[in-house]
């Protein structure tokens, strides 16, 4: 089996590449041409994957790599993935997260409609939630340019599936973290900050809304669900979540508690980190994934926070 992963250098791409290699796949990773290339997350498997250059903004480059490599499965994980940036760069976010999806689907349609396609949809599509918990049939109400673009990417995937009978599926993934999460994301900002405070490298941790609630899971668990979706006889859309919610304050409290510190002594609220339109509560209902995919999240919230913090303590202690 051959698989093409867009966004292979990201958190999810690196875990998915590991999983597919374990399953005996030949893995191709789509990367953009850049003067400085960052392969840190896949350095340990760099020799085992084939990196191919293309860009979500360039239709012809996508057609070419699909034609040349003929993958059995395509996982579209590439995106402008940081929600706050989407307010500063709304057009670019739309180009990557909406139009980019269409370009990949169109390339598959032109080359080989039998190629299985996975689209990385997002719980941010639910935004101002219309019901709790959120399931596959919950109406979308995005609250950021990122969420809006992801809704387009989701529906264009459904549209190509229904219009051209293409085996295209979407995973509506709720927040999923790991030690490979980017430092700009609040969870990693917390674990990195707590590690720095514990090691005497930093005095305070500035955060935005501590009351926001999210359904947090481990990225390594969630990529298994992506693969399982493309092994089904019939394509479809699945909510991937733990079914449990925690506040940002819970995350902070757990992280500081792990190193025997009281978060109240170190955390300050900074209005710069509050979103223009807040998403207050995300809580997924993974019943369909559990029933159809036989998927279960294995890593608990507490274990996840401690895993991330331990990795940051180790990294900072070694002077990296």
């Amino acid at each position: 089996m051959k698989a093409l992963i867009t966004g292979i250098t990201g958190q999810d791409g690196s875990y998915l590449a590991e999983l597919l290699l374990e399953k005996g796949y030949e893995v191709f990773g789509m990367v953009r041409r850049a003067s400085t290339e960052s392969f840190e997350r896949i350095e340990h498997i760099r020799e085992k994957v084939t990196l191919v250059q293309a860009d979500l903004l360039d239709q012809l480059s996508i057609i070419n790599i699909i034609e040349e490599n003929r993958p059995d499965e395509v996982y579209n994980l590439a995106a402008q993935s940081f929600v706050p940036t989407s307010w500063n760069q709304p057009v670019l976010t739309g180009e990557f997260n909406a139009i980019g999806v269409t370009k990949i689907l169109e390339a598959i349609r032109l080359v080989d409609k039998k190629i299985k396609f996975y689209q990385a949809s997002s719980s941010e599509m639910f935004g101002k939630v219309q019901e709790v918990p959120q399931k596959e049939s919950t109406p979308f109400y995005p609250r950021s340019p990122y969420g809006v673009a992801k809704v387009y990417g989701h529906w264009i995937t459904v549209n190509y599936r229904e219009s051209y009978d293409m085996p295209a599926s979407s995973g509506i993934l709720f927040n999923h973290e790991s030690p490979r999460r980017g430092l700009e994301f609040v969870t990693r900002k917390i674990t990195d900050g707590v590690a720095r405070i514990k090691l005497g490298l930093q005095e305070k941790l500035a955060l935005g809304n501590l009351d926001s609630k999210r359904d947090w899971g481990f990225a390594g668990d969630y990529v298994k669900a992506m693969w399982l979706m493309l092994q089904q006889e019939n394509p479809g859309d699945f909510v991937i979540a733990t079914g449990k919610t925690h506040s940002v304050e819970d995350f902070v409290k757990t992280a500081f508690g792990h190193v025997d510190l009281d978060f109240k002594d170190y955390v300050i609220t900074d209005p710069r980190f509050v979103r223009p339109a807040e998403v207050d509560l995300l809580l997924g209902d993974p019943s369909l994934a559990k029933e159809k995919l036989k998927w279960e999240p294995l890593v608990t919230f507490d274990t996840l926070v401690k895993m991330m913090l331990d990795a940051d303590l180790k990294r900072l202690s070694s002077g990296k």
Side-chain angles (χ1 to χ4, degrees):
M1 292 286 284
K2 288 186 191 177
L4 171 67
I5 303 171
T6 75
I8 193 170
T9 58
Q11 168 187 258
D12 293 9
S14 65
Y15 281 112
L16 179 62
E18 284 175 353
L19 177 74
L20 296 179
L21 287 169
E22 279 169 23
K23 294 186 179 297
Y25 278 67
E26 187 177 353
V27 176
F28 297 85
M30 188 177 112
V31 292
R32 297 166 70 198
R33 172 77 185 91
S35 53
T36 54
E37 294 173 325
S38 174
F39 300 128
E40 188 186 341
R41 294 185 183 97
I42 57 165
E43 207 55 65
H44 61 297
I45 53 169
R46 181 83 187 274
E47 301 305 313
K48 298 176 185 171
V49 300
T50 304
L51 299 181
V52 288
Q53 284 190 353
D55 196 303
L56 282 185
L57 304 185
D58 182 8
Q59 178 78 77
L60 194 56
S61 69
I62 300 169
I63 293 170
N64 286 341
I65 63 165
I66 290 174
E67 205 155 32
E68 285 165 18
N69 300 295
R70 294 289 176 146
D72 300 285
E73 299 170 355
V74 173
Y75 296 85
N76 181 37
L77 310 185
Q80 190 298 98
S81 62
F82 190 44
V83 176
T85 296
S86 74
W87 275 285
N88 298 327
Q89 300 182 338
V91 176
L92 186 72
T93 300
E95 291 276 3
F96 279 122
N97 298 7
I99 305 302
V101 185
T102 316
K103 287 179 178 172
I104 298 179
L105 285 163
E106 190 62 8
I108 292 171
R109 185 183 74 82
L110 291 169
V111 176
D112 180 1
K113 287 196 291 189
K114 293 189 189 70
I115 293 171
K116 292 181 174 180
F117 176 75
Y118 171 84
Q119 166 59 13
S121 288
S122 166
S123 59
E124 287 284 333
M125 301 189 306
F126 295 121
K128 191 174 180 181
V129 299
Q130 302 301 289
E131 65 177 343
V132 180
Q134 295 89 55
K135 47 186 184 281
E136 290 77 10
S137 57
T138 302
F140 300 134
Y141 194 141
R143 297 270 280 171
S144 64
Y146 171 87
V148 172
K150 280 290 186 180
V151 170
Y152 178 105
H154 179 85
W155 280 118
I156 201 70
T157 302
V158 173
N159 188 257
Y160 269 68
R161 177 170 75 219
E162 295 177 352
S163 302
Y164 303 115
D165 197 25
M166 287 165 60
S169 298
S170 281
I172 306 172
L173 269 58
F174 279 65
N175 294 61
H176 47 290
E177 318 295 326
S178 76
R180 298 180 196 172
R181 190 53 137 161
L183 281 164
E184 69 273 23
F185 290 86
V186 69
T187 49
R188 186 72 196 292
K189 184 181 175 183
I190 292 166
T191 59
D192 177 73
V194 173
R196 286 176 186 279
I197 288 166
K198 182 65 178 175
L199 296 170
L201 303 170
Q202 187 174 312
E203 290 182 2
K204 297 289 180 184
L205 178 58
L207 297 169
N209 182 7
L210 296 183
D211 298 325
S212 283
K213 291 182 175 166
R214 295 291 183 271
D215 183 329
W216 275 299
F218 173 51
D221 286 341
Y222 285 36
V223 298
K224 289 175 193 156
M226 298 176 187
W227 176 77
L228 285 166
M229 280 179 224
L230 297 200
Q231 311 319 306
Q232 303 306 301
E233 202 171 312
N234 299 310
D237 308 319
F238 294 88
V239 162
I240 305 301
T242 67
K244 296 178 178 140
T245 189
H246 295 88
S247 66
V248 174
E249 187 172 305
D250 292 337
F251 201 107
V252 170
K253 205 180 285 185
T254 304
F256 275 102
H258 186 45
V259 289
D260 301 316
L261 295 174
D262 185 344
F263 80 97
K264 290 175 187 159
D265 296 333
Y266 303 97
V267 173
I268 53 172
T269 305
D270 189 330
R272 286 179 306 156
F273 301 125
V274 177
R275 296 179 180 186
E278 188 55 79
V279 174
D280 298 313
L281 168 67
L282 291 175
L283 173 61
D285 177 0
S287 305
L288 187 68
K290 289 180 176 182
E291 180 200 332
K292 289 262 178 79
L293 306 179
K294 307 293 183 249
W295 176 83
E296 290 277 351
L298 301 177
V299 176
T300 65
F301 175 77
D302 278 19
T303 304
L304 175 65
V305 177
K306 290 167 186 174
M307 174 203 301
M308 291 174 69
L309 181 49
D310 287 343
D312 279 326
L313 283 165
K314 185 179 175 186
R315 175 179 58 86
L316 292 163
S317 298
S318 67
K320 284 186 183 174

